[in-house]
Amino acid sequence: MNILAFCNLKKYNIKKLYFYYTLRTQKAMIKDYTTILINLSNLPKTQIHGELKDFSNKAKGKYELIWASNDAGFAKELPFRRMVMKRRFSKTFFGESIDVFLPSLSFFDYILDNLKKSPQECIYIDTDVKNLLAAEEVGLSPILFDIGNEHYCGMDIRSFDELWNIIG
């Protein structure tokens, strides 16, 4: 490795560098995704209300957005908020409604069966590594939405804008 390449590597997080290299070499695979499952449970409300709105508008027609969580979380406090959030997603799956909870593999199996999708068609986004590992075991492509409290060796993002730059 030459000195210039080494200096450039030091500027970047090695994991991110590997991730973007992998994405560039697998662009054909990315276009095969049709569905994005998102667990909103621990995301900051500012990102849910601002970035998610923009992301869902961009993703319409290209991706099916699914809200997949153990419960409706912050949205169950206010029925209006839940209604607004449901409009951003084509379907919602809550563990409290289907009586199967994250990080159970059955949670993902139930959703995939209901959607009639194969795991290879789906991306799963969460802030909890345990849930991501379960999703990966089922065959989904997991992405950590990094809010600063988890360490994960796979792909991670810090915003919906970053996700759109990758898959958009």
Side-chain angles (χ1 to χ4, degrees), residues 108-166:
F108 296 108
D109 289 337
Y110 178 88
I111 293 172
L112 292 170
D113 288 345
N114 190 284
L115 295 173
K116 296 177 180 31
K117 299 278 184 183
S118 72
Q120 294 75 25
E121 296 176 89
C122 303
I123 296 170
Y124 177 68
I125 300 168
D126 201 323
T127 58
D128 188 330
V129 172
K130 291 186 306 271
N131 297 341
L132 294 171
L133 294 174
E136 188 172 27
E137 192 170 330
V138 170
L140 299 160
S141 294
I143 300 175
L144 174 69
F145 198 109
D146 188 0
I147 56 174
N149 62 346
E150 296 274 351
H151 297 284
Y152 182 59
C153 292
M155 184 161 63
D156 67 350
I157 57 170
R158 287 179 178 75
S159 69
F160 284 105
D161 291 335
E162 184 178 354
L163 177 62
W164 185 254
N165 288 337
I166 295 167

Side-chain angles (χ1 to χ4, degrees), residues 47-66:
Q47 286 180 308
I48 292 173
H49 296 299
E51 289 183 25
L52 181 60
K53 179 182 177 183
D54 294 339
F55 178 78
S56 65
N57 288 337
K58 291 175 190 173
K60 274 187 182 152
K62 186 169 184 178
Y63 297 101
E64 182 177 15
L65 295 182
I66 307 296

Side-chain angles (χ1 to χ4, degrees), residues 34-38 52 55-57 59-60 63-67 88-91:
T34 61
T35 306
I36 302 172
L37 286 72
I38 305 172
L52 181 60
F55 178 78
S56 65
N57 288 337
K60 274 187 182 152
Y63 297 101
E64 182 177 15
L65 295 182
I66 307 296
W67 184 357
R88 301 199 197 302
F89 297 92
S90 56
K91 290 197 177 181

